[in-house]
Amino acid sequence: MDLPFISEQHFKSQNYSTNKISKAEYDNCTFEDCDFSNSDISNNVFLECTFINCNFSNCNVTHTSFNHVDFIDCKLTGVQFNTCNAFLLTFSFNNCYLELASFQDLKIPNTQFNDCIMHQTDFSNTNISKSILNHCDLKSAIFENTNLESSNLSTAYNYKINPERNKITKAKFSKEQVLGLLTHYKIIVE
């Protein structure tokens, strides 16, 4: 399917919850203060786009392409990234709210998460090796068969990661938060 090509546009304060976004290939576009909550952006292409202060809560991203996309100050509650197009999938998240989001089964190494709240986010079977989770709150995040090799979680907190069920070789953790690697052993550390 050939999509219309939209390049270098700035979309501000658009409500895509009521006015559906046009199916297109968006290249080097900026979306600022836009509401995508409960909307359908499936089958769109976003290449080198930036989303600033946008609400994506429960947005349908099925078969959507995100290639070199930056999310800044966005709310992404319940977004199922595991349904988007995995080909050339690259994005970063800065000061975002990702509660109940899912990255299950994705290969997203070298991803940057900075200052994000990621409560109950699902990383099952996800390759996030060589990624940075900087000052991220990972309360109840799901790590099951996750590849975290060479990732930096030294400033992340509230995580519970079972070292026997995840790949953590050369991953960085802080001394203060390393107990999150021991919780499944049901030991008492004083």
Side-chain angles (χ1 to χ4, degrees), residues 63 176 178:
H63 304 296
E176 295 79 17
V178 78

Side-chain angles (χ1 to χ4, degrees), residues 76-80 98-102 118-122:
L76 299 130
T77 302
V79 176
Q80 303 299 299
L98 289 148
E99 185 172 27
L100 297 168
S102 179
M118 305 171 77
H119 297 178
Q120 300 178 53
T121 297
D122 190 353

Side-chain angles (χ1 to χ4, degrees), residues 71 76 81 91-96 98 101 103 108-118 121 123 126-128 131-138 143 148 151-153 155-156:
F71 293 97
L76 299 130
F81 288 103
F91 37 44
S92 69
F93 301 89
N94 293 289
N95 199 38
C96 290
L98 289 148
F103 296 96
I108 51 171
N110 301 301
T111 300
Q112 291 208 11
F113 299 91
N114 294 303
D115 299 299
C116 294
I117 294 174
M118 305 171 77
T121 297
F123 290 103
T126 305
N127 180 348
I128 55 171
S131 293
I132 296 173
L133 288 90
N134 186 34
H135 297 286
C136 291
D137 184 351
L138 297 165
F143 294 96
L148 290 156
S151 289
N152 188 341
L153 288 89
T155 60

Side-chain angles (χ1 to χ4, degrees), residues 31-35 51-55 71-75:
F31 296 83
E32 186 175 1
D33 299 322
C34 295
D35 187 2
F51 295 94
I52 303 168
N53 198 37
C54 294
N55 183 355
F71 293 97
I72 302 167
D73 299 321
C74 291
K75 184 176 181 182

Side-chain angles (χ1 to χ4, degrees), residues 9-168:
Q9 298 292 311
H10 187 103
F11 301 91
K12 185 162 176 62
S13 301
Q14 298 295 310
N15 187 341
Y16 297 115
S17 292
T18 55
N19 301 316
K20 195 170 183 177
I21 191 170
S22 300
K23 295 280 186 214
E25 182 174 333
Y26 296 89
D27 181 31
N28 204 21
C29 292
T30 301
F31 296 83
E32 186 175 1
D33 299 322
C34 295
D35 187 2
F36 293 91
S37 61
N38 299 304
S39 66
D40 184 354
I41 64 169
S42 61
N43 297 299
N44 278 303
V45 175
F46 297 99
L47 174 62
E48 296 184 2
C49 291
T50 302
F51 295 94
I52 303 168
N53 198 37
C54 294
N55 183 355
F56 284 89
S57 295
N58 299 311
C59 179
N60 180 0
V61 296
T62 303
H63 304 296
T64 300
S65 294
F66 294 109
N67 187 341
H68 290 92
V69 170
D70 296 316
F71 293 97
I72 302 167
D73 299 321
C74 291
K75 184 176 181 182
L76 299 130
T77 302
V79 176
Q80 303 299 299
F81 288 103
N82 57 313
T83 65
C84 67
N85 185 343
F87 183 68
L88 298 176
L89 179 63
T90 48
F91 37 44
S92 69
F93 301 89
N94 293 289
N95 199 38
C96 290
Y97 190 81
L98 289 148
E99 185 172 27
L100 297 168
S102 179
F103 296 96
Q104 184 178 4
D105 299 318
L106 290 177
K107 291 181 176 78
I108 51 171
N110 301 301
T111 300
Q112 291 208 11
F113 299 91
N114 294 303
D115 299 299
C116 294
I117 294 174
M118 305 171 77
H119 297 178
Q120 300 178 53
T121 297
D122 190 353
F123 290 103
S124 300
N125 302 308
T126 305
N127 180 348
I128 55 171
S129 61
K130 300 178 185 170
S131 293
I132 296 173
L133 288 90
N134 186 34
H135 297 286
C136 291
D137 184 351
L138 297 165
K139 182 180 179 184
S140 301
I142 301 165
F143 294 96
E144 185 69 31
N145 196 33
T146 306
N147 184 345
L148 290 156
E149 293 177 323
S150 298
S151 289
N152 188 341
L153 288 89
S154 61
T155 60
Y157 54 97
N158 290 332
Y159 56 80
K160 292 180 181 174
I161 300 170
N162 183 338
E164 295 176 10
R165 301 179 88 161
N166 297 281
K167 297 177 183 177
I168 61 169

